[in-house]
Amino acid sequence: MRRRLTAGAVATATGLALLVGLPTSPAAAAETIDYTVVADDGVSAADAITAITASGGTVVGSNAAAGTYRVSSAAADFKANVARSAVLIGASASKPIGRAPQVAPALELPVTTAARGTPPKGVSADPLDDRLWGLKMVKADKAHTIEAGDRGVTVGVLDTGLDASNPDLAPNFSQRLSRNFAPDLVDVDGPCEVAGCVDPVGTDDGGHGTHVAGTIAAAANGSGVTGVAPKVTLVELKGGQDSGYFFLDPVVNALTYAGDAGLDVVNMSFYVDPWLYNCRSNAADGPEAQAEQRAIIAAMKRALNYAHARGVTLVGALGNQHDNLGDPLDDATSPDYGSAPYTRDIDNDDCLTLPAEGPHVIGVSAVGPSTSKSHYSNYGLEQISVAAPGGFTRDFFGTPQYNSATNNILSTYPLKVLQESGAVDANGEPTRATVLKDCSSGTCGYYTYLAGTSMASPHAAGVAALIVSKYGHRDWWRGGVTMSPYLVEQRLYRTATETACPEPRLRSYTQEGFPASFDAYCAGPKKFNSFYGHGIVDAYAAVGGR
């Protein structure tokens, strides 16, 4: 799950990011750092700004709905001062400080395993739909005979961007509603592609968001692939960096904008950096780190509650750490920027992975084409809501289909990113069997296989969009169609295909070549369990099919 995300106007409460460099030596001038500061509950803006100023910071933007402030500071003790403040919760840096980040740890890289065997059977509408086993598993092909989506239903893709030049995405893309909340940061993303470092909406220099968008709503137009809800409107909410990092400020601003703009569904296939788990009082963390994590928890909860209260159905990926979120493994990956990571014992009562464990978020686990829980997928009785196709390369052990990229999820992908990775040559021809090109519409689109809970979540988001399309009512205030997120969630759960735990309940992945640390125990009955939640989402049943 994770990483990626133009420029239209940014929400009025949103401050633009500052572009700053790495700290210099002590002898050099103090380096200015960009932070997100979170005020305590009930603190006025005037009091928060006074405290920030007293701590050594300058406010350059704010989000009143979430109580967050964009701050620049050259004070070496700024975070410590904020942590000691009586009216501020904590501060989170929006850029690496002293340590260059490596490849984003939760990013689903394109699968390079050769395609082999007979691909799991999909559907046949658009030219590549026969490869979309996930579309068939959630019965979207049958659902489209009843409901294929309503243009008035808007789905926000909170991600790295969205390549609207793809012929499958262009028909459903809303330039007017789309926004970029995450300007490029040179130290994280490399040189800026455009002046001002704010990529225009309709572009995606990471690729992740484009793949997610195609699963949700690729048009059924005779080109490439078909999405779960092929007639709804796609809205880019760029909240992730090109490199795949998702910082607090852009994510919070994207969520509150989604509520203000009246979006119906928002998909979130990421976790907020730099902490895989945000802990309120972990003994391994110092005071500043504890304050930072408490601040992230507070800001995310406020933003999620704000969006949900304004009619947004929130769907999130559970994560790819093969972890039981009810009893997590130690975390040795955090912080993933800013300083070196260190090992922490994770207490489920004290720690949250966000947004997946945030309020009102429909948490989605991943399954392969056999319906086996994917080896990487997180799970857990407290955190899971539903399951959906996310891909599992080594599914079908002992058959010709084992260890094939076609066991994963095929969707739209930017040509630029594929060419930069060498997967497509300078003439526009794929160099890997896992990358496909389709020019049926007269404009060529590109597609690749990925695997992750990031691929599962958009299947569920697409079904949620179909539910709003079928059962929603006209929004006379903001236009389009609307439906209470509570009702959307209830129908999604009630119509999911109940799926029992495997027998034996301890699922070992050793035969597929993974160590015992991937073993997962499935708890709970068929009606609701830790692998599948309420079940695998069913688009056909969700729109009234029987």
Side-chain angles (χ1 to χ4, degrees), residues 10-66:
V10 176
T12 56
T14 303
L16 294 178
L18 298 179
L19 301 176
V20 293
L22 295 172
T24 56
S25 66
E31 186 69 36
T32 299
I33 305 298
D34 189 24
Y35 297 93
T36 301
V37 176
V38 182
D40 209 346
D41 293 336
V43 174
S44 69
D47 288 346
I49 292 171
T50 297
I52 290 168
T53 303
S55 297
T58 300
V59 175
V60 296
S62 65
N63 185 322

Side-chain angles (χ1 to χ4, degrees), residues 6 162 164 169-175 178 201-203 232-236:
T6 296
L162 192 159
L169 302 181
N172 293 338
F173 176 69
S174 174
Q175 179 92 14
S178 294
V201 293
T203 64
V232 302
T233 297
L234 287 166
V235 179
E236 175 190 346

Side-chain angles (χ1 to χ4, degrees), residues 423-469:
V424 173
D425 66 23
N427 296 319
E429 296 303 321
T431 62
R432 299 173 187 165
T434 53
V435 175
L436 303 176
K437 172 184 178 182
D438 181 75
C439 306
S440 300
S441 67
T443 300
C444 294
Y446 291 85
Y447 308 83
T448 195
Y449 288 95
L450 295 182
T453 56
S454 283
M455 286 63 252
S457 183
H459 281 89
V463 176
L466 289 180
I467 291 171
V468 180
S469 299

Side-chain angles (χ1 to χ4, degrees), residues 91-273:
S92 179
S94 298
K95 63 174 293 300
I97 306 170
R99 174 175 173 266
Q102 304 302 309
V103 173
L107 172 62
E108 291 84 357
L109 296 174
V111 177
T112 56
T113 303
R116 58 171 62 86
T118 302
K121 187 172 176 56
V123 295
S124 297
D126 282 351
L128 302 178
D129 282 0
D130 60 343
R131 299 171 181 266
L132 304 185
W133 58 266
L135 204 67
K136 183 176 182 181
M137 179 180 286
V138 304
K139 302 176 187 173
D141 53 331
K142 296 178 67 177
H144 296 165
T145 64
I146 300 173
E147 179 63 69
D150 187 299
R151 285 278 180 262
V153 174
T154 49
V155 181
V157 182
L158 207 176
D159 218 293
T160 58
L162 192 159
D163 179 13
S165 69
N166 187 292
D168 261 326
L169 302 181
N172 293 338
F173 176 69
S174 174
Q175 179 92 14
R176 179 180 65 85
L177 290 173
S178 294
R179 300 288 187 272
N180 180 351
F181 298 94
D184 291 345
L185 301 176
V186 174
D187 296 319
V188 179
D189 305 315
C192 297
E193 293 88 359
V194 297
C197 295
V198 180
D199 296 334
V201 293
T203 64
D204 182 6
D205 293 324
H208 190 267
T210 298
H211 198 278
V212 166
T215 296
I216 296 170
N221 58 355
S223 174
V225 298
T226 303
V228 175
K231 291 187 178 181
V232 302
T233 297
L234 287 166
V235 179
E236 175 190 346
L237 303 174
K238 180 171 165 53
Q241 305 305 132
D242 295 347
S243 55
Y245 285 84
F246 285 76
F247 297 137
L248 178 63
D249 193 66
V251 171
V252 164
N253 291 335
L255 284 168
T256 57
Y257 169 78
D260 291 337
L263 302 191
D264 295 294
V265 180
V266 168
N267 184 83
M268 301 173 290
S269 292
F270 59 89
Y271 68 80
V272 177
D273 295 294

Side-chain angles (χ1 to χ4, degrees), residues 432-514:
R432 299 173 187 165
T434 53
V435 175
L436 303 176
K437 172 184 178 182
D438 181 75
C439 306
S440 300
S441 67
T443 300
C444 294
Y446 291 85
Y447 308 83
T448 195
Y449 288 95
L450 295 182
T453 56
S454 283
M455 286 63 252
S457 183
H459 281 89
V463 176
L466 289 180
I467 291 171
V468 180
S469 299
K470 178 66 175 177
Y471 300 106
H473 59 84
R474 190 59 52 190
D475 188 338
W476 299 106
W477 178 41
R478 293 181 294 197
V481 179
T482 188
M483 185 175 175
S484 164
Y486 290 108
L487 297 179
V488 177
E489 186 175 359
Q490 289 172 16
R491 186 154 190 88
L492 186 72
Y493 297 166
R494 190 168 63 248
T495 58
T497 302
E498 293 179 0
T499 307
C501 287
E503 291 295 343
R505 284 177 175 256
L506 181 63
R507 173 62 160 99
S508 171
Y509 296 90
T510 55
Q511 68 177 3
E512 288 92 354
F514 297 101

